[in-house]
């Protein structure tokens, strides 16, 4: 695969304005008082594709974001974030009728989070927005995330991934929950053109109906996916393809905020692939990135470099789960 292409990665998918709020009690919305002091309130760009594009850029890749972004204040704020993070913004589509939505991310004391999602308008990327020739100029394409891509979920992404593969690019897809009720088989057309599929365990159980990691991976492999990477949160990850399978144990940490950890995992795994690393090393590095991201607030704000992740991995113990 040539390293002389214009982009290392084109990231397709979600963009959102995150309003991060920490240290909010569970009864905040039902308490008698009308004023609650938060630990932090932070305004930042977010969304799966944004988080992946920003992290890939921080790790030294030429990453571009392909999505719709509004032309108003929220869009300008996100555009500024992307520029500061070193993401290529030349592929952004900014129509006047697009309104990027905002999400209030309530970070709980244990690092978990809840999302309060505001409305948006015409923010989903359309096939008519996309010039397929751009995929001739990239080493990889990510979709962040399937089940959250609008019309791309129902056929468009298969066309994009097929084109990308024909041009020698790696295709990689994250997954989201099926909030629109598309059904477990709605994305079947994408799998034959997907080199790496990276769902969370719960998302994968919904799609496959299976509970055991091997059975989950086998279902995706049978559907045409070449490599399955199952994100298992506090239990690390599971990898399987036609030749090999393995578990990667998690790092022993106390999370501050788990927002975006899965997206950091995806970006770090792809970074490893682009550097020619073996899947085992990619998985170790991805687990390190996901764990390190949880040590700060925000979906892509805490990690600054590959060296930071390497230092964290070298100085942090792993939980030995002794799986076979």
């Amino acid at each position: 695969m040539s390293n002389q292409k214009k982009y290392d990665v084109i990231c397709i998918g979600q963009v959102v304005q995150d309003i991060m709020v920490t240290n909010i009690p569970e009864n905040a919305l039902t308490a008698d008082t009308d004023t609650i002091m938060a630990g932090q309130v932070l305004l930042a760009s977010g969304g799966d594709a944004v988080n992946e594009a920003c992290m890939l850029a921080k790790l030294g890749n030429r990453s571009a974001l392909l999505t719709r972004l509004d032309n108003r204040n929220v869009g300008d704020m996100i555009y500024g974030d992307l520029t500061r993070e070193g993401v290529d913004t030349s592929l952004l589509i900014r129509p006047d009728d697009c309104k990027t939505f905002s999400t209030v991310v309530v970070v709980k004391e244990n690092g978990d989070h809840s999302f309060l999602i505001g409305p948006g308008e015409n923010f989903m990327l359309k096939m008519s927005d996309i010039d397929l020739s751009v995929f001739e100029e990239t080493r990889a394409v990510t979709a962040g995330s399937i089940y959250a891509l609008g019309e791309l979920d129902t056929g468009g992404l298969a066309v994009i991934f097929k084109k990308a593969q024909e041009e020698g690019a790696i295709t990689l897809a994250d997954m989201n929950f099926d909030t629109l009720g598309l059904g477990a088989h709605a994305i079947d057309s994408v799998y034959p053109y997907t080199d790496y599929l990276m769902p969370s365990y719960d998302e994968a159980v919904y799609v496959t109906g299976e509970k055991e990691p091997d059975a989950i991976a086998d279902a995706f492999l049978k559907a045409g996916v070449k490599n399955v990477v199952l994100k298992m949160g506090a239990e690390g990850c599971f990898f399987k393809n036609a030749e090999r399978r393995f578990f990667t144990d998690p790092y022993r940490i106390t999370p501050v905020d788990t927002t975006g950890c899965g997206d950091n995992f995806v970006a770090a795994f792809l970074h490893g692939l682009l550097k020619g690393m073996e899947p085992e090393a990619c998985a170790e590095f991805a687990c390190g990135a996901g764990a390190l991201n949880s040590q700060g607030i925000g979906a892509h704000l805490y990690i600054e470099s590959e060296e930071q992740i390497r230092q964290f991995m070298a100085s942090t113990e792993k939980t030995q789960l002794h799986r076979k």
Side-chain angles (χ1 to χ4, degrees):
M1 184 181 298
S2 172
N3 292 340
Q4 302 305 311
K5 293 188 175 183
K6 182 176 181 179
Y7 310 106
D8 289 318
V9 189
I10 294 176
C11 299
I12 300 171
Q14 284 186 316
V15 56
V16 61
Q17 179 189 58
D18 282 342
I19 305 169
M20 313 286 301
V21 186
T22 71
N23 199 32
I24 298 296
E26 293 285 344
N27 67 338
L29 297 180
T30 58
D32 292 335
T33 180
D34 62 0
T35 302
I36 302 288
M37 289 297 295
Q40 293 187 61
V41 178
L42 177 67
L43 199 63
S45 58
D48 296 355
V50 168
N51 298 335
E52 291 167 13
C54 288
M55 187 50 49
L56 283 158
K58 288 182 178 184
L59 296 177
N61 301 282
R62 296 161 297 163
S63 69
L65 182 64
L66 174 54
T67 190
R68 283 189 164 207
L69 182 65
D70 79 27
N71 246 331
R72 289 165 282 189
N73 291 343
V74 170
D76 288 345
M77 186 224 83
I78 294 171
Y79 188 92
D81 269 4
L82 295 170
T83 302
R84 284 188 292 274
E85 298 284 20
V87 175
D88 188 311
T89 57
S90 63
L91 301 181
L92 288 175
I93 296 99
R94 304 193 69 181
D96 291 336
D97 64 350
C98 169
K99 180 181 178 183
T100 299
F101 67 92
S102 297
T103 298
V104 178
V105 184
V106 181
V107 183
K108 303 175 184 178
E109 291 182 354
N110 65 355
D112 289 341
H113 49 263
S114 296
F115 296 119
L116 305 176
I117 301 175
E121 297 176 6
N122 298 313
F123 57 86
M124 291 289 196
L125 196 65
K126 301 180 184 298
M127 283 301 293
S128 58
D129 294 327
I130 301 172
D131 176 1
L132 289 174
S133 68
V134 300
F135 302 112
E136 300 170 8
E137 295 299 325
T138 186
R139 299 173 62 203
V141 180
T142 70
S145 295
I146 54 178
Y147 280 111
L149 298 177
E151 71 176 49
L152 269 60
D153 281 329
T154 54
L157 186 59
V159 174
I160 291 169
F161 273 13
K162 182 175 185 292
K163 172 65 173 177
Q165 283 190 336
E166 289 172 350
E167 299 300 334
I170 299 168
T171 59
L172 186 153
D174 198 355
M175 189 174 281
N176 212 319
F177 289 105
D178 183 14
T179 56
L180 298 179
L182 298 178
H185 295 286
I187 316 297
D188 285 0
S189 66
V190 177
Y191 300 141
Y193 306 107
T194 304
D195 291 318
Y196 292 84
L197 181 67
M198 304 183 123
S200 73
Y201 174 80
D202 290 339
E203 293 157 356
V205 168
Y206 165 76
V207 171
T208 66
E210 302 289 350
K211 298 289 182 67
E212 296 299 320
D214 272 296
I216 289 171
D218 288 343
F220 285 126
L221 294 173
K222 184 178 179 181
V225 176
K226 292 181 177 61
N227 303 272
V228 178
V229 186
L230 191 62
K231 296 178 294 188
M232 302 178 71
E235 295 184 10
C237 73
F238 175 73
F239 175 94
K240 191 170 187 178
N241 63 19
E243 290 82 33
R244 65 179 98 178
R245 66 177 290 283
F246 59 85
F247 286 96
T248 301
D249 287 334
Y251 287 88
R252 187 173 297 165
I253 49 94
T254 299
V256 174
D257 175 19
T258 59
T259 307
C261 289
D263 302 331
N264 282 257
F265 178 102
V266 170
F269 194 101
L270 178 55
H271 175 68
L273 291 175
L274 292 171
K275 291 186 70 175
M277 293 160 51
E278 291 296 315
E280 290 86 351
C282 292
E284 290 281 355
F285 185 65
C287 283
L292 178 57
N293 182 72
S294 77
Q295 301 303 283
I297 300 296
H300 60 78
L301 303 178
Y302 191 67
I303 296 176
E304 294 295 336
S305 66
E306 178 174 348
E307 179 60 25
Q308 182 189 8
I309 299 172
R310 297 290 183 192
Q311 290 177 357
F312 169 81
M313 293 168 65
S315 61
T316 307
E317 293 183 357
K318 299 190 76 174
T319 299
Q320 304 298 321
L321 298 180
H322 303 292
R323 297 166 294 192
K324 295 182 179 180

